[in-house]
């Protein structure tokens, strides 16, 4: 009988996912959840048939070139794949997969949390209570913004964007969106399509970023575009930090052009995020928690394993991107 394929698993995964890995493969687990250096990844891949990776590992062209020829696939435990140089993977003949669908609900929940947290000054209030600095209540105390009935603008109306739109409708918000391709009417559900980001922006009382980081979207939310938002808009980002020009957003948060921001993803995360955010009261910050629920993390793991199962059965992986 053929030995089970060896899978290099770069991070600690949910128990049920590791159980399935142990049942069907020979996994090289990362029980301490230590972040592997690129040279360690390459040397640990020496006997791996595939790598089950997260967005915390960068598969640059150089690292991909260094991977031994026995590695057939990188099955990502993520929907985003900006951490993988897809062209380099294709050139090396590596199969690359991601995990769409399973994290749309969880990520949309975080987008709504960020919207509300930013609009209603949640982190400022929470800090005040924790510091025992809450001294009185008055009609003018910590007044924020109401989102009910306002316009909710989306950049990137993919799976997550569509769920976020649905949740925003629960607040009677009018949904506007920009997407590379207009959705069909049944998926649009009455959302108003704008052909360019610049057309969308003046219609956003809340702007929610749901697009991936690509060369086209990097730095998309810059000074010029922020100036197109209605004064006092709220900005939410659960996509990727790279879409936002931090200097521009911080300037707008200071001037009031942007009333508040709710951010779950950052340039330089986790340890080198722009320090300007940390000094501002009008930002609600989370540490990349978009998909962080038990159900979703298990769903992501199972989806990555479904892809590996297909690859090793000689079939087409459902979520193949290279
Ligand atoms: C994703 O799946 O892309 C999330 O950001 C977690 O990696």
């Amino acid at each position: 009988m053929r030995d089970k394929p060896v899978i290099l698993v770069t991070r600690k995964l949910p128990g049920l996912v590791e159980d399935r890995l142990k049942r069907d493969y020979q996994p090289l687990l990362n029980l301490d959840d230590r972040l592997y250096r690129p040279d360690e990844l390459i040397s640990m891949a020496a006997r791996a048939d595939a790598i089950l990776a997260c967005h915390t590992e960068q598969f640059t062209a150089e690292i991909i070139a260094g991977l031994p020829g026995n590695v057939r696939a990188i099955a990502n435990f993520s929907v985003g794949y900006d951490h993988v140089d897809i062209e380099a993977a294709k050139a090396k003949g590596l199969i690359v997969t991601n995990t769409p669908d399973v994290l749309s609900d969880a990520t949309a929940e975080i987008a709504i949390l960020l919207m509300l947290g930013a609009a209603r000054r949640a982190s400022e209030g929470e800090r005040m209570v924790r510091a025992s600095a809450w001294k009185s209540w008055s009609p003018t105390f910590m007044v924020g913004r109401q989102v009910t009935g306002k316009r909710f603008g989306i950049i990137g109306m993919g799976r997550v964007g569509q769920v976020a739109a649905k949740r925003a409708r629960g607040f009677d918000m009018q949904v506007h969106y920009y997407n590379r391709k207009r959705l069909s009417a049944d998926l649009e559900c009455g959302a108003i399509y704008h052909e360019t980001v610049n057309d969308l922006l003046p219609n956003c009382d809340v702007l929610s970023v749901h697009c991936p980081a690509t060369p086209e979207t990097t730095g998309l939310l810059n000074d010029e575009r922020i100036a197109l938002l209605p004064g006092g808009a709220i900005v939410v980002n659960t996509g990727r930090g790279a879409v936002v020009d931090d200097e521009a957003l911080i300037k707008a948060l200071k001037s009031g052009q942007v009333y508040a921001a709710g951010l779950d993803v950052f340039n330089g995360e986790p340890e080198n995020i722009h320090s300007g955010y940390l000094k501002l009261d009008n930002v609600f910050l989370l540490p990349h928690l978009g998909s962080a629920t038990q159900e979703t993390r298990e769903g992501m793991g199972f989806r990555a394993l479904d892809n590996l199962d297909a690859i090793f059965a000689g079939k087409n992986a459902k979520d193949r991107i290279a």
Side-chain angles (χ1 to χ4, degrees):
M1 205 180 80
R2 193 183 163 277
D3 277 347
K4 292 175 179 173
V6 176
I7 312 294
L8 171 59
V9 184
T10 63
R11 303 302 303 267
K12 175 103 192 81
L13 297 179
L16 291 180
V17 179
E18 291 194 347
D19 288 348
R20 184 169 144 187
L21 264 161
K22 286 188 259 187
R23 187 193 66 193
D24 298 340
Y25 295 96
Q26 299 182 67
L28 306 173
L29 297 176
N30 182 353
L31 297 179
D32 302 328
D33 204 19
R34 197 169 58 76
L35 201 58
Y36 297 141
R37 290 189 318 268
D39 60 306
E40 286 179 300
L41 260 185
I42 291 173
S43 65
M44 291 173 84
R47 65 184 197 90
D49 297 297
I51 304 178
L52 203 167
C54 291
H55 79 271
T56 46
E57 291 80 51
Q58 295 298 317
F59 288 94
T60 60
E62 206 187 338
I63 294 171
I64 286 177
L67 289 175
N70 45 284
V71 176
R72 290 178 54 192
I74 300 173
N76 288 297
F77 182 97
S78 66
V79 66
Y81 48 87
D82 48 298
H83 58 290
V84 181
D85 186 323
I86 294 295
E87 290 314 312
K90 282 185 186 160
K92 202 178 163 90
L94 273 178
I95 297 174
V96 181
T97 59
N98 70 340
T99 58
D101 300 320
V102 287
L103 41 64
S104 307
D105 286 333
T107 308
E109 283 179 8
I110 286 283
I112 298 300
L113 173 65
L114 291 171
M115 171 179 75
L116 295 175
R120 301 302 296 274
R121 303 172 63 175
S123 58
E124 199 185 338
E126 217 251 359
R127 275 198 305 277
M128 182 186 286
V129 177
R130 279 184 190 277
S132 302
W134 179 29
K135 300 299 177 205
S136 72
W137 182 96
S138 87
T140 54
F141 171 65
M142 282 206 63
V143 172
R145 289 282 167 89
Q146 194 151 312
V147 297
T148 300
K150 304 276 169 64
R151 295 167 298 177
F152 186 78
I154 297 175
I155 298 179
M157 195 64 143
R159 300 167 179 90
V160 181
Q162 288 171 43
V163 182
K166 203 165 162 186
R167 304 292 174 257
R169 283 188 201 101
F171 292 96
D172 299 330
M173 299 182 84
Q174 185 186 55
V175 178
H176 292 251
Y177 76 101
Y178 164 76
N179 198 46
R180 274 174 309 170
K181 244 179 87 192
R182 184 172 182 169
L183 302 187
S184 57
D186 58 322
L187 293 180
E188 251 179 7
C189 302
I192 299 162
Y193 177 64
H194 298 271
E195 280 181 9
T196 66
V197 171
N198 290 9
D199 289 343
L200 167 75
L201 293 171
N203 297 288
C204 303
D205 298 312
V206 176
L207 171 68
S208 196
V209 175
H210 294 284
C211 59
T214 64
E216 293 74 42
T217 63
T218 296
L220 181 104
L221 203 60
N222 57 16
D223 278 319
E224 294 75 46
R225 295 218 173 80
I226 289 175
L228 295 175
L229 287 166
I234 290 169
V235 171
V236 168
N237 189 5
T238 53
R240 282 290 185 265
V243 180
V244 172
D245 173 340
D246 292 324
E247 293 286 346
L249 181 57
I250 288 166
K251 196 162 80 186
L253 283 160
K254 285 182 178 163
S255 73
Q257 167 62 11
V258 170
Y259 173 73
L263 307 174
D264 187 47
V265 287
F266 303 87
N267 287 300
E269 67 177 58
E271 285 173 320
N272 292 310
I273 74 171
H274 197 300
S275 60
Y277 290 123
L278 311 182
K279 299 180 197 117
L280 293 174
D281 271 334
N282 53 345
V283 289
F284 184 70
L285 308 173
L286 292 178
H288 204 139
L289 296 183
S291 62
T293 67
Q294 189 70 29
E295 301 90 316
T296 292
R297 290 287 160 85
E298 284 170 1
M300 292 164 77
F302 294 148
R303 186 90 174 210
L305 287 178
D306 291 346
N307 286 319
L308 285 173
D309 292 351
I311 293 165
F312 290 107
K315 298 188 185 139
N316 268 338
K318 186 167 166 194
D319 307 312
R320 184 168 178 169
I321 47 192

